Amino acid sequence: MKAMSSAAVPSGGMPPEGRAPKFWKTAYRNRYLYLMTLPFVAWVFVFSYYPLWGWLMAFQSFKPGKPLFEQKWVGFDQFKTLFQDDLFYQVLRNTLAMSVMGLIAAFTVPIVFALLLNEVRNMFFKRFVQTVSYLPHFVSWAVAASIVTRMLATDNGVVNDILMGLGLIDKPIQFMANGHFFWGIVTLSDVWKETGWNAIIYLAAMTGISGELYEAAKVDGASRLRQIWHITLPGIRSTIIVLMILSIGHLVSIGFEKQFLLGNNLVLDYSQVLDLYSLQYGLQMNRYSFGVAVNIFNSVVSLILLFVANGLFKRMTKESIM
Amino acid sequence: MAVKKKWPAVLLTAALSVGLLAGCGESGGGNAGPSGSGSAEAGSGASDDLKPITFTFYSEDPNPNWTNMQDEIGKVITEKTGVTLNAEFAVGDPVQKSALIASSGKYPDIISAKNSINKFVDAGAVIDLTELIDQHAPNIKKLFGDQMNRLRYSNDDPSIYVIPTYDGVGNTIFEAGGGFSLQHRVVKELGYPKIRTVQDFENAIKQYLAKHPTDENGNKNIGVSLNADDWHMYISVTNPAFFATGAPDDGEYYIDMNTYEATYHYLRPEEKEYFRWLNHMNAEGLLDPDSFVQKYDQYKAKIASGRVLGLIDQLWDYADGEKALKAEGKFEYTYGHYPVTLNENYKDTSFWPTGFLAGYGIAISKTNPDPVRTIKFLDYLASDEGQVLLNWGIKDKHYTVDANGKRSMIKEVNDRRVNDATNFQKETGIGNYNTIGPHYGDGVKDPSGNYYTLRFPEQLVEGYSDVEKEVLKAYGATTWKDLFPKESEFKVKPWGAAWNIPVPSDNELTVLDEKLKTITWKMIPKAVLAKPEEFDRVWDDYLQQLEKAGVHKAEELRTQLVKDRVKLWSE
């Protein structure tokens, strides 16, 4: 957010083309604003651009302990190995599947939840529910994963006990041992953990909608549902779209915490994700260059996804982040 | 504060100048090495520089009982050497942690990284210790004796980077901690049946379960639970396959005694039969269905609940769970060890001798501020005085010496050591320092005629609970090891153990091994949990995947490594 707002400031003061003296004049006039952005520009440079230097490693056979330019250059060998690895495609499939499922869940459940919460008129109840709902966000995945595995265990697991009690099944289901359940389990536990937290931003956007609109709608005889559909949802539309474009950019890099902690050897075919792959087959084996190659692939795909999503939304809804 | 701080400094300066003068006086005869004065005979080196110094220490093996050397013997070590260790342990995957440290360029002063040490060597992060040991470590030299040549790194690079601290020199194993384990209540109830084959093991569990499906509180008893969380997979699921089929522990490979040819051990037909038996156990409902999904803490909690009748695991891997049972006094629920194999044609190979296993140990980084002090610290730990301190504790506090010079643990102290092991280790520090320095193995006697370590037959039996003694008596044995085939029944492996040979990091084997491991860890559980009639199909699928991943190429590369090791060690 900081980076975005700071970027917006100087662009506001941009002069029309072809008038250099005026540019400097404006720049001088806005000098304090420029100075204020400096720390953030430096921050972005140091943490986002300076490390790109290391991308050179992907074209080398890197050995630690030697300077970068004394390493052996191998061209595109690392990428060739990567694209020839069957495992890579499986891992990519898992990553995309889980992030798309996560994306769908993250853009329906919290929005619906926020809409419902927004309609609650009893302030105490609303606050209480909201607080309870975002509590799990603060639980670390290590703990959350252990809670989930216990709940789904065959031996005194709550879920199996309930299903058995209702007579829906006669034998406990091995939830954690079946690869087909894995994506669902990850997505659902993510929903449980993050719904409340993700709803906050939508709730905040909703408070920005003018109360007059609702009153006008009421006068026109709109029902609660109509009000939601015609006022609340359009009111938070730009928030939703900006968040969506940004998270599409992150589709490939979903991290590996939950997959790593919830997974086990039986579901490996469905639980391994790109980040874990680059860690295991890169860093852990001293194949730094290979790890970097995976990351470059990651970044390139993310960029493409981001631009495609942005372009699509621009055309369809006239909303975009660029 | 400032005033307080000054005094030690003044004293030190004085001590140093005196030491310097003394050094000069001695070296008048043209001896150019001033540091030579450190290699005095006494391990503690009273004239040495004892200025407090803190070294950072990294170990791949986490020690939950580590107290930053604030335990009783830790304080003594600091007093004698001036050294305090600031330890950092690997949490989660140790290999990954080591890789991170090796590539970060910020090395701890002292590194204990098992097989990952090759990453540090490749990065030039650790120093050659040959000279240092020669000049400053008489006790280490004495300790290793003629095993010194096993310390060399490789045929191409004969430097010493690692001082072995895992295997004890001259070690005799007195106690069995592996094999297949059964709760004492099971064998007792069934009238001590013979437990020799997987069939016997299965029958015992089956019969007991039929009689007692639940424990006295109504909780379901569990037949056998396996521990398959991450690397525990090796210990509890895959290694037992070769132990039970007459092959020694060489990691993921079986090495031919004569040709040194390596075979990926799952390809041995007899191991397929072992997994078929596990599959059968699962089909019979004797195997805990959570075996392959539970996490390590859940597994330990299950054992601590006393509901698991049988284990296929090593004592050190499940000991935390058993400790809880002992602390509660539920000795009937603790485990005995049996040399179970697939059938009577095989011998349990837990005690196949490897010779002294160098390799895993401690290294000094190139950024260590004072390698000489470090080696002297290690030398102190290796001295007779240090060894007794580490193993026995402090005289008259933990042990006594009688008129005949016989050393024995004070009774109350020993009871606590056995029954309240965790707290005991935290308070006294006994057991906290064993893998930090080189040490003598069990069964080696010091100059006073006493054993260096606490594991010797008499001490062992003292540590047994009454139930344990009763069970052992019924089987006609005094220790669990008596039930197992002896070391002398096997030929010593000239390569030590294949799992202990570091793989150079640019060797293709690293990647191949990882791929094979991924397949194995995925397919073995699948095969075990499959319906019995589908077992063969799953197994064929497994073999095919292995072939495709290049298992034979891996075998070739491994064979070469084993041959190199034999050459290095036999020179």
Side-chain angles (χ1 to χ4, degrees), chain A residues 110-186:
Chain A
I111 292 173
V112 171
F113 182 69
L115 287 174
L116 291 175
L117 214 53
N118 195 43
E119 296 300 314
V120 172
R121 291 288 170 252
N122 180 335
M123 278 313 272
F124 172 77
F125 180 70
K126 183 175 166 181
R127 291 259 163 81
F128 180 73
V129 170
Q130 201 188 344
T131 311
V132 169
S133 72
Y134 67 64
L135 274 183
H137 171 79
F138 299 103
V139 177
S140 89
W141 265 113
V143 177
S146 157
I147 295 176
V148 172
T149 16
R150 289 259 157 123
M151 299 257 281
L152 296 176
T154 49
D155 180 42
N156 292 332
V158 179
V159 177
N160 270 317
D161 281 358
I162 292 177
L163 289 177
M164 300 252 284
L166 291 175
L168 293 175
I169 49 173
D170 46 306
K171 219 174 75 178
I173 299 177
Q174 292 250 25
F175 288 104
M176 301 309 291
N178 191 331
H180 299 293
F181 292 151
F182 189 75
W183 295 348
I185 291 173
V186 168

Side-chain angles (χ1 to χ4, degrees), chain A residues 63-65 85-87 90 146 149-150 153-156 174 176-177 256 260-269 272 276-277 279-281 283-288, chain B residues 93 95-96 99-100 102-103 107 118-119 122-124 222 228 230 233 289-290 292-293 295 297-298 301-302 307 505-506 510-511 514-515 518 521-522 525-526 529 548:
Chain A
K63 291 261 172 315
D85 190 357
D86 293 340
L87 191 61
Q90 191 186 59
S146 157
T149 16
R150 289 259 157 123
T154 49
D155 180 42
N156 292 332
Q174 292 250 25
M176 301 309 291
F256 60 84
F260 181 69
L261 289 163
L262 283 170
N264 56 60
N265 290 320
L266 276 169
V267 296
L268 213 57
D269 279 350
Q272 261 196 324
L276 198 57
Y277 172 81
L279 182 74
Q280 277 177 341
Y281 284 88
L283 190 66
Q284 245 178 57
M285 297 184 181
N286 256 13
R287 293 160 87 209
Y288 302 95
Chain B
D93 187 350
V95 178
Q96 190 176 312
L100 267 173
S103 55
Y107 311 118
N118 61 354
K119 301 195 174 105
D122 290 350
I222 298 168
D230 204 13
M233 185 86 178
D290 283 339
F292 294 105
V293 292
K295 299 281 166 196
D297 59 318
Q298 290 171 310
K302 229 175 236 174
R307 294 189 295 141
S505 53
D506 52 356
T510 337
V511 179
E514 178 73 18
K515 293 213 159 138
T518 310
W521 283 12
K522 176 176 80 193
K526 234 177 227 175
L529 297 181
K548 211 175 138 216

